[in-house]
Amino acid sequence: MTKLRLAIVGAGPAGIYAADILLKAEKQFDVSIDLFEQLPAPYGLVRYGVAPDHPRIKGIINALRDVLDSGKIRLFGNVSFGRDITLDDLKKHYNAVIFSTGSIRDASLDIPGIDLPGSYGAADFVSWYDGHPDFPREWPLDASSVAVIGNGNVALDVARMLAKHADDLLPTEIPENVYAGLKASPVTDVHVFGRRGPAQVKFSPLELRELGELKDVDMVLYDEDFDYDEASKAAIASNKQVFVIDKVLTQWRARETGTASRRLHLHFHAKPLEITGTFDESTNSARVAGIRYERTEPDGEGGTRGTGEIREIPIQAVYRAVGYFGSPLDGIPFDEKRGVIPNREGQVIDDNHEQVHGVYATGWIKRGPVGLIGHTKSDAMETIKHVVNDQANWWAPAHPDEAAVVELLESRGVEFTNLDGWHNLDQHELGLGEAVGRTRIKVVERDEMVRVSNA
Ligand SMILES: Cc1cc2nc3c(=O)[nH]c(=O)nc-3n(C[C@H](O)[C@H](O)[C@H](O)COP(=O)(O)OP(=O)(O)OC[C@H]3O[C@@H](n4cnc5c(N)ncnc54)[C@H](O)[C@@H]3O)c2cc1C
């Protein structure tokens, strides 16, 4: 029987679901799957993006682990495509490759002052609090007033993590240095800015509601933002999600405030124009001092328009949470505008819109950084359908045997981890947590992750 030797690059949910779906698909051939992951541990943004105080979502890792533990997938962790293994290598060892490398960078926001010291990307902050090994261990939490720009779930995660008291995060898996950093934070006010109105935001109601449950944090809303136009009223009446969001916000507006030590302000109809700076003599450099924004108003068609009224509030730090962006991969077509691998239903295409045989994409690198973990499943189904049907165009590798790729990595001195290694690390982290009455404490340093995995 023919055998499909498949490489999958990126062990986030998209890559793991693709493997699962292929293994379960009806097909006229055997399958052997190798999963390459640049980090020593699998699960992508479920481990390094989903907020630590979302244990139910983090629990999706259990389902993904079951797939990896099926015994039919080999994991090669700590192996980076483009550095440790190339497209030419894959062509020599596999019939096809699926890229599921996701997006980890912050999309840019082109306003003056956005590069001042004290201005950060949400993705970098998320990587810090989720203990990503490739990000600095220290995070400068020295601001009392902070702005978060964006009206999606990542903006809410960032605002919540900034406003929440560190002790309320102790039951979670946050690394020790993150707890210490957040515990010392002098923050009193977190301001979330969105240019649209409350009926146009992209928050999911569950995420929004959670803000109102933070201990010792007042939710601050502004009456002027709730002067709904007809289009907003229609959205509230016709869309269940918008209806619930409005209900939650209405409840908060009726609450007594003024006793909490921290405040989380939601500014709607506020379009950021500029981050203003000041000269800090202690560091001899400029740094963030304020955010200038323009009031917007409903345009009567479900959108907004500027009013020309400019305001400014003082802040000492700003986080832009305006979306994620994919990174290009060596030898693989890339759409610089959208930050994705150009593709037709997962079949990668080149500049001339011709299919690149043997190369597929799935997950966020396929369709852009939108959607929940569950969406990567339907994505993977579509891609796998083509992998299966494209048999006539698969590569014909010179070294299809499973030992050859191991020899290749060893000959290059790549210190890769495998599935047993992940189990070692998992047990180690659980043990660290148990010793101090917590569920898990993450190991952060890459060397330490590899050492524990390969012990
Ligand atoms: C801050 C944040 C919070 C979120 N919270 C939720 C939530 O609460 N609920 C929810 O359902 N969804 C949430 N999501 C969305 C969810 O994380 C994504 O839908 C999902 O992770 C996308 O899966 P993916 O596999 O495409 O990408 P990823 O999860 O990013 O996985 C990609 C993998 O590829 C690896 N990789 C990248 N480049 C290479 C390379 N060159 N070589 C080898 N490996 C490589 C990466 O290390 C990574 O492990 C959140 C997203 C973010 C950013």
Side-chain angles (χ1 to χ4, degrees):
M1 201 181 204
T2 321
K3 190 172 201 176
L4 167 64
R5 288 273 296 130
L6 178 70
I8 299 180
V9 179
I16 297 177
Y17 283 136
D20 189 36
I21 289 163
L22 177 63
L23 288 170
K24 291 176 178 156
E26 260 190 48
K27 51 200 176 296
Q28 306 299 321
F29 49 81
D30 281 340
V31 178
S32 127
I33 301 175
D34 289 345
L35 188 49
F36 294 95
E37 167 57 51
Q38 67 177 354
L39 296 173
Y43 311 128
L45 283 172
V46 189
R47 185 173 156 101
Y48 292 115
V50 171
D53 57 348
H54 281 175
R56 196 179 56 81
I57 309 292
K58 290 267 186 206
I60 292 175
I61 282 179
N62 296 332
L64 298 175
R65 184 174 35 214
D66 287 347
V67 176
L68 294 183
D69 286 345
S70 66
K72 294 175 182 144
I73 302 167
R74 293 193 303 179
L75 174 69
F76 292 92
N78 206 30
V79 178
S80 180
F81 175 85
R83 186 192 61 198
D84 303 315
I85 197 153
T86 66
L87 186 62
D88 279 347
D89 297 328
L90 295 180
K91 284 184 177 168
K92 285 180 193 145
H93 294 83
Y94 298 92
N95 298 105
V97 56
I98 300 178
F99 288 99
S100 46
T101 46
S103 327
I104 186 120
R105 288 189 291 161
D106 280 291
S108 56
L109 177 67
D110 194 14
I111 59 172
I114 199 70
D115 294 327
L116 280 168
S119 169
Y120 310 104
D124 291 348
F125 181 54
V126 168
S127 292
W128 173 74
Y129 69 59
D130 252 343
H132 192 296
D134 298 342
F135 287 77
R137 293 296 71 229
E138 302 298 323
W139 192 269
L141 287 163
D142 51 5
S144 56
S145 284
V146 182
V148 178
I149 301 175
N151 262 181
N153 285 342
V154 176
L156 293 191
D157 276 351
V158 167
R160 192 180 70 254
M161 288 298 290
L162 286 166
K164 197 165 183 164
H165 289 277
D167 285 340
D168 296 329
L169 284 162
L170 257 189
T172 74
E173 60 179 41
I174 49 165
E176 296 287 10
N177 66 307
V178 174
Y179 171 73
L182 292 170
K183 179 83 180 159
S185 167
V187 74
T188 56
D189 291 84
V190 177
H191 299 266
V192 179
F193 289 90
R195 69 194 148 86
R196 290 178 291 191
Q200 287 88 40
V201 291
K202 291 186 188 156
F203 309 141
S204 46
L206 259 181
E207 285 249 357
L208 183 68
R209 192 176 276 141
E210 223 184 314
L211 294 185
E213 290 159 10
L214 297 181
K215 284 190 212 144
D216 189 32
V217 178
D218 275 344
M219 292 306 302
V220 183
L221 292 107
Y222 297 88
D223 286 344
E224 61 182 357
D225 292 338
F226 293 86
D227 192 7
Y228 288 136
D229 67 341
E230 290 308 314
S232 298
K233 287 181 195 159
I236 293 166
S238 62
N239 180 316
K240 184 148 183 261
Q241 182 148 324
V242 181
F243 174 80
V244 178
I245 286 173
D246 176 62
K247 201 169 147 197
V248 171
L249 296 173
T250 305
Q251 281 166 359
W252 290 347
R253 289 172 69 204
R255 275 189 191 172
E256 287 282 323
T257 56
T259 52
S261 69
R262 291 180 175 177
R263 287 158 295 281
L264 208 163
H265 309 247
L266 296 183
H267 301 269
F268 299 103
H269 288 300
K271 181 184 171 197
L273 295 179
E274 181 183 357
I275 307 302
T276 57
T278 183
F279 192 77
D280 181 345
E281 288 192 358
S282 65
T283 58
N284 206 24
S285 63
R287 66 161 295 149
V288 167
I291 179 165
R292 287 181 73 232
Y293 61 97
E294 180 182 12
R295 278 289 294 168
T296 68
E297 62 184 10
D299 64 5
E301 291 167 12
T304 52
R305 61 182 166 225
T307 63
E309 184 192 341
I310 311 295
R311 298 181 184 175
E312 179 167 347
I313 62 163
I315 48 159
Q316 301 86 44
V318 57
Y319 293 75
R320 63 176 197 282
V322 292
Y324 275 54
F325 206 76
S327 302
L329 296 158
D330 278 358
I332 307 301
F334 190 68
D335 181 336
E336 294 284 349
K337 267 202 191 128
R338 297 181 53 225
V340 299
I341 299 177
N343 68 90
R344 249 187 325 255
E345 298 190 340
Q347 291 173 312
V348 172
I349 54 174
D350 63 17
D351 290 349
N352 300 321
H353 299 272
E354 299 288 336
Q355 186 186 344
V356 181
H357 293 308
V359 185
Y360 301 84
T362 196
W364 274 18
I365 197 64
K366 167 186 174 185
R367 70 182 149 78
V370 281
L372 298 175
I373 295 162
H375 295 127
T376 61
K377 224 183 221 178
S378 40
D379 232 22
M381 273 181 191
E382 186 183 66
T383 298
I384 290 299
K385 183 186 75 190
H386 287 296
V387 173
V388 170
N389 292 340
D390 283 352
Q391 188 168 356
N393 293 319
W394 292 350
W395 300 325
H399 308 291
D401 58 302
E402 293 182 358
V405 73
V406 178
E407 284 161 20
L408 177 79
L409 293 173
E410 284 175 350
S411 72
R412 288 184 180 159
V414 180
E415 222 181 328
F416 59 89
T417 58
N418 61 17
L419 210 46
D420 286 342
W422 161 244
H423 290 144
N424 292 344
L425 181 60
D426 190 29
Q427 285 307 314
H428 179 77
E429 291 185 341
L430 292 171
L432 290 178
E434 200 181 340
V436 290
R438 298 174 53 190
T439 44
R440 171 190 298 271
I441 296 181
K442 265 184 183 169
V443 175
V444 182
E445 303 297 336
R446 185 181 278 263
D447 289 352
E448 178 69 356
M449 291 175 79
V450 173
R451 192 191 62 73
V452 172
S453 299
N454 291 347

